[in-house]
Amino acid sequence: MAKKPDGKNTSGRGLRDLTVKVKTARGRTMSSTRWLQRQLNDPYVTRAKAEGYRGRAAFKIMELDDKYRFLVPGARVVDLGCAPGGWCQVAVPRINALGEKSGKAQGRIIGIDLQEVDTLAGAEFYQLDFMDEGADDQVKEWLGGKADVVMSDMAASSSGHKQTDHLRIMSLCETAAYFAFDVLEEGGTFVAKVLAGGAEGDLQKLLKQKFTKVMHMKPPSSRSDSSEKFVVATGFRG
């Protein structure tokens, strides 16, 4: 059975197979109707609501951390593109941000996003366009030191053109990577969402120069029809 937010079991087995049908309403396009139907029938959306997570994306970072173990007690974490806060929600208990695990180091997490994010105990949220000039310096000021983990779920608005969207998200990912090079402690971890499409090879080459291991993973909670996957780079060389 799936555990509550501080749990480790992320299996999707046993989730109810919904068959909700959505009729095309007046003023709603077919694409938005299909999106709504997919949401209503998505077992991870249902599970997120049942377990109190802010969105299905929480399970993605949960599954990545279950495999690579980078959200440890005492870790200092920066979450870029954090809205609505699901990744932070998973991280808070794992890094012991609230200091509830006796005898364990207390971590800290800072979330950055264009949108305002509802408060979450144990997390610090700041509203900022990370692509603005000087934004990285502002985040460094808030951080006030080094980080152990930089993770990015940043994504650009869809243009409807696959290659354009791929290049946009890779640009965001590279910006996040260069920020990570500046703030990570030696041995630190970088995690980011990418889209398959060709340009991710350049990013991988760059990361291999800076980290001892660079892996790609498509978590079980990532939709099978999505081109998204995640790069996890561990062992920052400093």
Side-chain angles (χ1 to χ4, degrees):
M1 174 180 273
K3 295 181 180 179
K4 292 298 181 184
D6 60 346
K8 299 285 186 176
N9 189 345
T10 60
S11 171
R13 290 176 296 179
L15 295 174
R16 188 160 55 96
D17 181 19
L18 302 177
T19 54
V20 177
K21 298 295 183 183
V22 179
K23 294 182 180 180
T24 303
R26 184 176 182 179
R28 184 194 297 145
T29 64
M30 280 300 297
S31 61
S32 62
T33 298
R34 286 194 296 269
W35 178 88
L36 179 57
Q37 182 164 312
R38 184 175 66 173
Q39 286 293 102
L40 292 172
N41 288 283
D42 188 323
Y44 283 99
V45 172
T46 303
R47 183 177 161 193
K49 291 178 180 178
E51 297 184 21
Y53 288 112
R54 296 188 176 193
R56 69 188 310 284
F59 298 108
K60 299 175 187 178
I61 197 65
M62 196 184 300
E63 290 160 352
L64 289 167
D65 184 53
D66 283 349
K67 183 168 184 177
Y68 297 110
R69 304 291 181 182
F70 47 88
L71 296 176
V72 298
R76 295 156 296 177
V77 182
V78 178
D79 182 6
L80 302 175
C82 67
W87 282 23
C88 289
Q89 197 175 9
V90 171
V92 163
R94 295 190 179 207
I95 67 173
N96 194 31
L98 291 172
E100 295 176 331
K101 296 179 180 179
S102 179
K104 299 286 187 180
Q106 185 170 354
R108 181 185 179 207
I109 184 163
I110 292 176
I112 309 296
D113 202 275
L114 273 169
Q115 305 175 39
E116 186 175 355
V117 183
D118 290 341
T119 57
L120 172 69
E124 303 167 42
F125 293 130
Y126 297 94
Q127 190 171 4
L128 177 73
D129 184 345
F130 190 68
M131 300 302 286
D132 281 350
E133 186 175 349
D136 54 342
D137 291 328
Q138 178 63 77
V139 178
K140 290 175 193 174
E141 185 178 326
W142 288 327
L143 183 60
K146 292 290 188 178
D148 299 295
V149 181
V150 171
M151 50 191 195
S152 171
D153 196 25
M154 290 192 292
S157 299
S158 176
S159 68
H161 185 267
K162 186 176 180 180
Q163 186 61 20
T164 298
D165 291 340
H166 170 70
L167 293 174
R168 284 178 175 176
I169 197 169
M170 292 312 301
S171 177
L172 291 170
C173 197
E174 286 188 6
T175 301
Y178 279 107
F179 172 75
F181 301 160
D182 279 347
V183 301
L184 280 178
E185 285 278 16
E186 187 173 345
T189 298
F190 174 66
V191 182
K193 177 170 66 180
V194 299
L195 294 182
E200 70 270 19
D202 293 336
L203 176 66
Q204 182 166 327
K205 183 178 179 180
L206 176 66
L207 293 177
K208 284 184 175 180
Q209 296 172 3
K210 300 288 186 177
F211 295 85
T212 57
K213 290 185 179 180
V214 179
M215 296 78 68
H216 284 89
M217 177 181 172
K218 187 176 180 67
S221 54
S222 182
R223 291 189 175 102
S224 58
D225 61 350
S226 170
S227 60
E228 76 171 10
K229 56 184 177 179
F230 292 83
V231 59
V232 180
T234 61
F236 181 58
R237 299 183 193 277

